[in-house]
Amino acid sequence: MRAVLFDRDGTLVHDVPYNGDPEQVRPVDGAREVLDALRARGVRVGVVSNQSGVARGLLTSAQVDAVNRRVEDLLGPFDVWQVCPHGPDDACVCRKPAPGMVVRAAAALGIAPAECAVVGDIGADVGAAVAAGARAVLVPTAVTRTEEVDAAPLVAPDLRAAVAMLGVGP
């Protein structure tokens, strides 16, 4: 496993629907420590994030960028960012559960998708990983549906356990 790609909202930071305000960014417990441990082991880290608020007119790309900068301020640098600004009906290849962001993130890192894992909180995150040929770990939250948990290949109670399951974490 050469890279771990994380969903942003609900996985690395607490989900604030359509957040365009960097001041509302709050990391989940242990996120910084897990990311720092991965970095220390030479594992590349990235973010793959659906941001349909842009397509819906609820956010601007500049707001998404500002929130992403705040995430980096709090959690440290990421090797790659992939953001899908499209809505659910746009039929793009990047919006999770489509594999586009995972494939592009792997390409940007110079590795194959099979050398990546995706950690997320909903079935779309798992679906994108599987579709791209990457490993997937679901870290459920209050919004994760039971059927998503049941369908996930790996389920972890938190980020630390998720990366441990992948054999790359603390």
Side-chain angles (χ1 to χ4, degrees), residues 4 12 23 51 55 67 129 132 160:
V4 181
L12 290 175
E23 293 304 312
Q51 292 297 319
V67 168
R160 178 179 290 275

Side-chain angles (χ1 to χ4, degrees), residues 24-106:
Q24 292 190 44
V25 174
R26 300 284 179 266
V28 300
D29 290 342
R32 179 67 191 237
E33 294 77 16
V34 166
L35 291 163
D36 285 347
L38 289 170
R39 292 177 185 115
R41 290 176 177 232
V43 178
R44 312 287 294 278
V45 292
V47 177
V48 288
S49 182
N50 286 348
Q51 292 297 319
S52 68
V54 175
R56 298 171 199 262
L58 302 172
L59 294 170
T60 65
S61 292
Q63 287 174 303
V64 171
D65 291 344
V67 168
N68 290 345
R69 280 192 302 277
R70 180 66 176 157
V71 171
E72 282 205 335
D73 288 346
L74 296 170
L75 297 179
F78 289 90
D79 298 299
V80 65
W81 281 86
Q82 290 290 320
V83 175
C84 172
H86 305 110
D89 299 326
D90 289 340
C92 66
V93 298
C94 51
R95 183 175 170 76
K96 295 178 288 184
M101 285 192 287
V102 176
V103 170
R104 284 198 304 237

Side-chain angles (χ1 to χ4, degrees), residues 19 32-33 41 97-98 100 130-131 146 153 166-167:
N19 183 21
R32 179 67 191 237
E33 294 77 16
R41 290 176 177 232
V130 171
T146 302
L166 295 167

